[in-house]
Amino acid sequence: MAKIILTGDRPTGKLHVGHYVGSLKRRVELQESGGYDQIFIMIADAQALTDNADDPEKVRQNIIEVALDYLSVGLDPAKSTLFIQSQVPQLCELSFYYMNLVTVSRLQRNPTVKSEIQMRNFETSIPVGFFTYPISQAADITAFKATTVPVGEDQMPMLEQTREIVHKFNTVYGETLVMPDILLPDNKACLRLPGIDGKAKMSKSLGNCIFLSDTEKDVQKKIMSMFTDPNHLKVEDPGQVEGNPVFTYLDAFCRDEHFAKYLPDYDDLEALKAHYRRGGLGDVKVKKFLNKVIQEELAPIRERRKQFEQDIPAVYKILEEGSRKAEAVAAQTLADVKKAMKIDYFADQALIEEQAKRFREG
Ligand code: ATP
Ligand code: MG
C-alpha cells in the first residue's frame, strides 16, 4: 500500500516554534527520507473559519504567512503538495456524509474540542462548524488516503475520531477508506511545547509564542522574559526543572554539541539541570544559552523566508498548483465514497438498465 502523509495548520497566525518541534521539523525529515509516496500539506482555512467566522480578513492574510513558514523550514513543493483546504470542495462533501456516522455525544466527549471551547469562551454559543471540525478533519485525512499523520499531541483525539469514522464507514459501506496512523514526535518535550508564559501549550490563540519569523531581537526579548520556576528567586536557591519552560525548550532544542559551543562548563543538559536543581545557577545564564541554541536553529529559516518574501506571486502559484493537484486526488476518493454509499446513480448503468427493465415489464 502507498505510504501517504497528510497534515496541516490553521492560518490563524504565523507558525511558531511549537509547530516547528511538534510537526514541521518532522515533516521536512519525512519529506527528505524518501520513504513516502505522497505528502500533502494543507493550510486549513476552512477549519480556521469555524472559530473566526467574523474575521475572514485574518484568515486571508495568514495564508501567505503560513505558506512562507512552510517554504522557509524546507517544505519543498517539488516533493510535497502544499494546498489550501477551501480550494478542495470535495472535502466539504465528504464531511457532510461522515456526519451521519458520528453522534453528538461522541463529539462532546472530544477532550481537545472541550478545552478549545473553554479557551474561546464560547460557553453555550458554540458554532456548529467548530463543534464538528473533528469530522471535517476526518474528511481531510481520508480524502488523500493518508496512512500517516504527523502532528502534535493535541491532535490525538482527532485521529481517534477519524479512525472511528473510517471503521464505521468501511463496516457499513464496504472497504473504501484507508485507516490512518498518528505520528507523534519522539521527543517528549515536543509533544506539546508550553508557551513562554508557562501555559501548557504554545498557541497562536494564547499569544505566548516565539514565531519562526520573529526577528533575532524579538526572540531574544521573549526568551529573556520567559516564565521560569517562580520560587527560584536568588541564584543560590535550588530550582525546579520540571514544568519550567526554559528547560522544556532546552529538552526540545538543545544537543550536546551546543554545550561545547556555547556553554563548555557543562557536558550536557543533565549536568546543567543538576546544577539548577542544586542551586547556584541563575535563570539569566540558562536563558542566554537557550537563546543561542534557538537562534542557531531559526537563523537559516529566517534567511530562507526573506528570499521567498521577494516573490509572493510565485508562492501563490505554488499553492494554486498544489490545490489543483489535491483536488484531483480528493475527487477520486469522493467518487469511491459515493459509489460505496450507492449515490453514484448516473455512473451506475446496471441500476438504470435493471430499473428500466422492471418498469417496462410492470
Ligand atoms: P490555534 O490556536 O489557532 O488552534 P495552534 O497554535 O494550536 O493554533 P494549529 O494550527 O491548531 O496551531 O496546529 C497545527 C499543528 O501544530 C498541529 O499538528 C498541532 O498538534 C501542532 N502544534 C500546535 N501547537 C503545538 C505545540 N505547542 N507543541 C507541539 N505541537 C503543536
Ligand atoms: Mg490548534
Coordinates of all heavy atoms in Angstrom, one line a residue, residues 34-75:
G34 N 12.5 10.2 1.8 CA 12.1 9.5 0.5 C 11.2 8.2 0.8 O 11.0 7.5 -0.1
G35 N 10.8 8.1 2.0 CA 10.0 6.9 2.4 C 8.5 7.0 2.1 O 7.8 6.1 2.5
Y36 N 8.1 8.1 1.6 CA 6.7 8.3 1.4 C 6.4 8.5 -0.1 O 7.1 9.2 -0.8 CB 6.2 9.5 2.2 CG 6.1 9.0 3.7 CD1 7.3 9.1 4.5 CD2 5.0 8.5 4.2 CE1 7.3 8.7 5.8 CE2 5.0 8.0 5.5 CZ 6.2 8.1 6.3 OH 6.2 7.7 7.6
D37 N 5.3 8.0 -0.5 CA 4.9 8.1 -2.0 C 4.3 9.5 -2.3 O 4.5 10.0 -3.3 CB 3.9 7.0 -2.3 CG 4.5 5.7 -2.1 OD1 5.3 5.3 -2.9 OD2 4.1 5.0 -1.1
Q38 N 3.6 10.0 -1.3 CA 3.0 11.3 -1.5 C 2.9 12.1 -0.2 O 2.6 11.4 0.9 CB 1.6 11.2 -2.1 CG 1.6 11.1 -3.6 CD 0.2 10.9 -4.1 OE1 -0.5 10.0 -3.8 NE2 -0.2 11.8 -5.0
I39 N 3.1 13.4 -0.2 CA 2.9 14.2 1.0 C 2.0 15.4 0.7 O 2.3 16.1 -0.2 CB 4.3 14.7 1.5 CG1 5.3 13.5 1.8 CG2 4.2 15.6 2.7 CD1 6.7 13.9 2.2
F40 N 1.0 15.5 1.5 CA 0.0 16.6 1.3 C 0.1 17.5 2.6 O -0.1 17.0 3.7 CB -1.4 16.1 1.1 CG -1.6 15.3 -0.2 CD1 -1.4 13.9 -0.2 CD2 -1.8 16.0 -1.3 CE1 -1.6 13.2 -1.3 CE2 -2.0 15.3 -2.5 CZ -1.9 13.9 -2.5
I41 N 0.3 18.8 2.4 CA 0.4 19.7 3.5 C -0.7 20.8 3.2 O -0.6 21.5 2.2 CB 1.8 20.4 3.6 CG1 2.9 19.4 3.5 CG2 1.8 21.3 4.8 CD1 3.2 18.6 4.7
M42 N -1.6 20.8 4.2 CA -2.8 21.6 4.0 C -2.8 22.9 4.9 O -2.6 22.8 6.1 CB -4.0 20.8 4.3 CG -5.3 21.5 4.1 SD -6.7 20.3 4.5 CE -6.7 20.4 6.3
I43 N -3.2 24.0 4.2 CA -3.4 25.2 5.0 C -4.9 25.2 5.3 O -5.8 25.3 4.4 CB -3.0 26.5 4.3 CG1 -1.5 26.4 4.0 CG2 -3.3 27.7 5.1 CD1 -1.0 27.7 3.3
A44 N -5.3 25.0 6.6 CA -6.7 24.7 6.9 C -7.5 25.9 7.1 O -7.9 26.3 8.3 CB -6.7 23.8 8.1
D45 N -7.8 26.6 6.0 CA -8.5 27.9 6.2 C -10.0 27.7 6.5 O -10.5 28.4 7.3 CB -8.4 28.8 4.9 CG -8.9 28.1 3.7 OD1 -9.1 26.9 3.7 OD2 -9.3 28.8 2.7
A46 N -10.6 26.7 6.0 CA -12.0 26.4 6.3 C -12.1 26.1 7.8 O -13.1 26.5 8.4 CB -12.5 25.2 5.4
Q47 N -11.2 25.3 8.3 CA -11.2 25.0 9.7 C -11.0 26.3 10.5 O -11.6 26.5 11.6 CB -10.2 23.9 10.1 CG -10.4 23.4 11.5 CD -9.3 22.5 12.0 OE1 -8.6 22.9 13.0 NE2 -9.2 21.4 11.4
A48 N -10.1 27.1 10.1 CA -9.8 28.4 10.8 C -11.1 29.2 10.9 O -11.3 29.9 11.9 CB -8.7 29.1 10.2
L49 N -11.9 29.2 9.8 CA -13.1 30.0 9.8 C -14.2 29.5 10.8 O -15.1 30.2 11.2 CB -13.7 30.0 8.4 CG -12.9 31.0 7.5 CD1 -13.3 30.7 6.0 CD2 -13.1 32.4 7.8
T50 N -14.0 28.2 11.3 CA -15.0 27.7 12.2 C -15.1 28.4 13.5 O -16.1 28.4 14.2 CB -14.9 26.2 12.5 OG1 -13.6 26.0 13.1 CG2 -14.9 25.3 11.2
D51 N -13.9 29.0 13.9 CA -14.0 29.9 15.1 C -13.5 31.3 14.8 O -13.1 32.1 15.7 CB -13.2 29.2 16.2 CG -11.7 29.0 15.9 OD1 -11.4 28.7 14.7 OD2 -10.8 29.0 16.8
N52 N -13.4 31.6 13.5 CA -13.1 33.0 13.1 C -14.0 33.5 12.1 O -13.6 34.3 11.2 CB -11.6 33.1 12.6 CG -10.6 32.8 13.7 OD1 -10.3 33.7 14.5 ND2 -10.1 31.6 13.8
A53 N -15.3 33.1 12.1 CA -16.2 33.4 11.1 C -16.4 34.9 10.9 O -16.6 35.4 9.7 CB -17.6 32.8 11.4
D54 N -16.2 35.7 11.9 CA -16.4 37.1 11.8 C -15.1 37.9 11.4 O -15.1 39.1 11.4 CB -16.9 37.7 13.2 CG -16.0 37.3 14.3 OD1 -15.1 36.5 14.1 OD2 -16.3 37.8 15.5
D55 N -14.0 37.1 11.2 CA -12.8 37.8 10.9 C -12.1 37.1 9.7 O -11.0 36.6 9.8 CB -11.9 37.7 12.1 CG -10.7 38.7 12.0 OD1 -10.6 39.4 10.9 OD2 -9.9 38.8 13.0
P56 N -12.8 37.1 8.5 CA -12.2 36.4 7.4 C -10.9 37.0 6.9 O -10.0 36.4 6.3 CB -13.3 36.5 6.3 CG -14.2 37.6 6.7 CD -14.1 37.7 8.2
E57 N -10.7 38.3 7.2 CA -9.5 39.0 6.7 C -8.3 38.4 7.5 O -7.2 38.3 6.9 CB -9.6 40.5 7.0 CG -8.6 41.4 6.3 CD -8.6 41.2 4.8 OE1 -9.6 40.9 4.2 OE2 -7.5 41.4 4.2
K58 N -8.5 38.0 8.7 CA -7.4 37.4 9.5 C -6.9 36.1 8.8 O -5.7 35.9 8.6 CB -7.8 37.2 10.9 CG -6.9 36.3 11.7 CD -7.3 36.3 13.2 CE -7.1 34.9 13.8 NZ -7.7 34.9 15.2
V59 N -7.9 35.3 8.4 CA -7.6 34.0 7.8 C -6.9 34.3 6.4 O -5.9 33.7 6.1 CB -8.9 33.2 7.7 CG1 -8.6 31.9 6.9 CG2 -9.4 32.9 9.0
R60 N -7.5 35.2 5.7 CA -7.0 35.6 4.4 C -5.5 36.0 4.4 O -4.7 35.6 3.6 CB -7.8 36.7 3.8 CG -7.6 37.1 2.4 CD -8.6 38.2 2.1 NE -8.3 38.9 0.8 CZ -8.8 38.4 -0.4 NH1 -9.5 37.3 -0.4 NH2 -8.6 39.0 -1.5
Q61 N -5.2 36.9 5.4 CA -3.8 37.4 5.5 C -2.8 36.4 6.0 O -1.7 36.5 5.7 CB -3.8 38.6 6.4 CG -4.6 39.9 5.9 CD -4.1 40.4 4.6 OE1 -2.9 40.2 4.2 NE2 -4.9 41.0 3.8
N62 N -3.3 35.4 6.7 CA -2.4 34.5 7.3 C -2.1 33.3 6.4 O -1.2 32.5 6.6 CB -2.9 34.0 8.6 CG -2.5 35.0 9.7 OD1 -1.4 35.3 9.8 ND2 -3.5 35.4 10.5
I63 N -2.8 33.2 5.3 CA -2.5 32.1 4.3 C -1.0 32.3 3.8 O -0.2 31.3 3.9 CB -3.4 32.2 3.0 CG1 -4.8 32.0 3.5 CG2 -2.9 31.2 2.0 CD1 -5.4 30.6 3.4
I64 N -0.7 33.5 3.4 CA 0.7 33.7 2.9 C 1.7 33.5 4.0 O 2.8 33.0 3.8 CB 0.8 35.1 2.2 CG1 2.1 35.2 1.4 CG2 0.7 36.2 3.2 CD1 2.2 34.3 0.2
E65 N 1.4 33.9 5.2 CA 2.3 33.7 6.4 C 2.7 32.3 6.6 O 3.8 31.9 6.7 CB 1.7 34.3 7.7 CG 1.5 35.8 7.6 CD 2.7 36.7 7.7 OE1 3.8 36.1 7.8 OE2 2.6 37.9 7.5
V66 N 1.6 31.4 6.6 CA 1.8 30.0 6.8 C 2.6 29.4 5.6 O 3.5 28.6 5.8 CB 0.5 29.3 7.0 CG1 0.7 27.8 7.1 CG2 -0.2 29.8 8.3
A67 N 2.2 29.8 4.4 CA 2.9 29.3 3.2 C 4.4 29.7 3.3 O 5.3 28.9 3.0 CB 2.3 29.9 2.0
L68 N 4.7 30.9 3.7 CA 6.1 31.3 3.8 C 6.8 30.6 4.9 O 8.0 30.2 4.7 CB 6.2 32.9 4.1 CG 5.9 33.8 2.9 CD1 5.7 35.2 3.4 CD2 7.0 33.7 1.9
D69 N 6.1 30.3 6.0 CA 6.8 29.5 7.0 C 7.1 28.1 6.5 O 8.1 27.5 6.8 CB 5.8 29.4 8.3 CG 5.8 30.7 9.0 OD1 6.8 31.4 9.1 OD2 4.7 31.0 9.6
Y70 N 6.1 27.5 5.8 CA 6.4 26.2 5.2 C 7.6 26.1 4.4 O 8.5 25.3 4.5 CB 5.2 25.8 4.3 CG 3.9 25.3 5.0 CD1 2.8 25.1 4.2 CD2 3.9 25.1 6.3 CE1 1.6 24.7 4.8 CE2 2.7 24.6 6.9 CZ 1.6 24.4 6.2 OH 0.4 24.0 6.8
L71 N 7.7 27.1 3.4 CA 8.8 27.1 2.5 C 10.1 27.4 3.2 O 11.1 26.8 2.9 CB 8.6 28.1 1.4 CG 7.4 27.8 0.5 CD1 7.0 29.0 -0.3 CD2 7.7 26.6 -0.4
S72 N 10.1 28.2 4.2 CA 11.3 28.6 4.9 C 11.8 27.5 5.8 O 13.0 27.4 6.0 CB 11.2 29.9 5.6 OG 10.1 29.9 6.6
V73 N 11.0 26.6 6.3 CA 11.5 25.5 7.1 C 12.0 24.4 6.2 O 12.7 23.4 6.7 CB 10.5 24.9 8.1 CG1 10.1 25.9 9.2 CG2 9.3 24.3 7.5
G74 N 11.7 24.5 4.9 CA 12.3 23.5 4.0 C 11.3 22.5 3.3 O 11.6 21.5 2.7
L75 N 10.0 22.8 3.5 CA 9.0 22.0 2.7 C 9.2 22.4 1.3 O 9.2 23.6 1.0 CB 7.6 22.3 3.2 CG 7.3 21.7 4.6 CD1 5.9 22.1 5.1 CD2 7.4 20.1 4.6

